[in-house]
Amino acid sequence: MPYTLPKSCPACHGSLRVTELACPHCATRIQGDFYASPLWNLREEQLHFVETFLRCRGNIREVEKSLNISYPTVRSRLDQILKDLGWTSEQTFPATETISVLERLEAGEVTVEEALEELRGETTKHGSTRLRTHENSRDARKW
């Protein structure tokens, strides 16, 4: 039975490198200094979350159901994983507010027109008018 890959040296707790690959079928061994994905450094529970997220095709509501956790917990775990990978959610994903608007649209809680207004920064979640700033306009154009 294969063991889980260690994340650090058991003697000194230093970083580990992948230097050998082996074929279990024919016992061929390849030695070198191999690139390891940043995902290599995630903890087991983070890897489980990423696997669930991918199985659910990124649908946060499905992740909530699958892991029996709340929306804020899903977002928090996702944000922590992005941070641990060295990414910020703003660099690679829409803002939490944008995701919330799209999820409410998907659930039928707002109309397409209301969602577009919110995404453009024309109204808040509660329907009141919001000042459009250059920052809001630029963010809306991204999505």
Side-chain angles (χ1 to χ4, degrees):
M1 178 171 99
Y3 296 100
T4 302
L5 288 171
K7 302 292 181 186
S8 61
C9 173
C12 72
H13 304 291
S15 297
L16 295 174
R17 293 186 345 231
V18 178
T19 59
E20 183 173 286
L21 300 172
C23 175
H25 180 70
C26 70
T28 297
R29 295 190 179 278
I30 305 167
Q31 292 185 326
D33 195 5
F34 302 100
Y35 166 78
S37 164
L39 296 172
W40 161 275
N41 294 316
L42 294 179
R43 296 183 312 276
E44 283 300 314
E45 64 271 10
Q46 289 177 314
L47 284 173
H48 176 68
F49 177 88
V50 169
E51 289 169 358
T52 302
F53 186 82
L54 292 173
R55 249 190 332 272
C56 294
R57 293 178 168 24
N59 183 314
I60 292 180
R61 293 207 189 276
E62 290 299 316
V63 175
E64 285 179 70
K65 291 176 190 173
S66 181
L67 297 177
N68 197 28
I69 56 177
S70 68
Y71 174 86
T73 302
V74 172
R75 290 292 308 163
S76 174
R77 289 185 185 178
L78 181 58
D79 288 343
Q80 185 60 52
I81 289 170
L82 290 171
K83 181 181 174 190
D84 290 353
L85 290 171
W87 305 327
T88 62
S89 58
E90 292 81 27
Q91 289 173 323
T92 55
F93 297 96
T96 302
E97 184 176 325
T98 302
I99 292 171
S100 174
V101 171
L102 295 175
E103 287 182 336
R104 290 186 298 113
L105 176 62
E106 181 181 41
E109 297 170 9
V110 294
T111 66
V112 172
E113 292 78 18
E114 291 168 334
L116 287 172
E117 286 176 2
E118 286 188 40
L119 292 172
R120 289 184 189 123
E122 295 171 0
T123 61
T124 65
K125 291 179 187 174
H126 307 292
S128 61
T129 302
R130 178 172 41 184
L131 292 175
R132 281 182 70 127
T133 65
H134 179 65
E135 190 69 27
N136 287 346
S137 299
R138 193 172 23 156
D139 286 345
R141 283 194 305 266
K142 288 181 190 175
W143 302 102

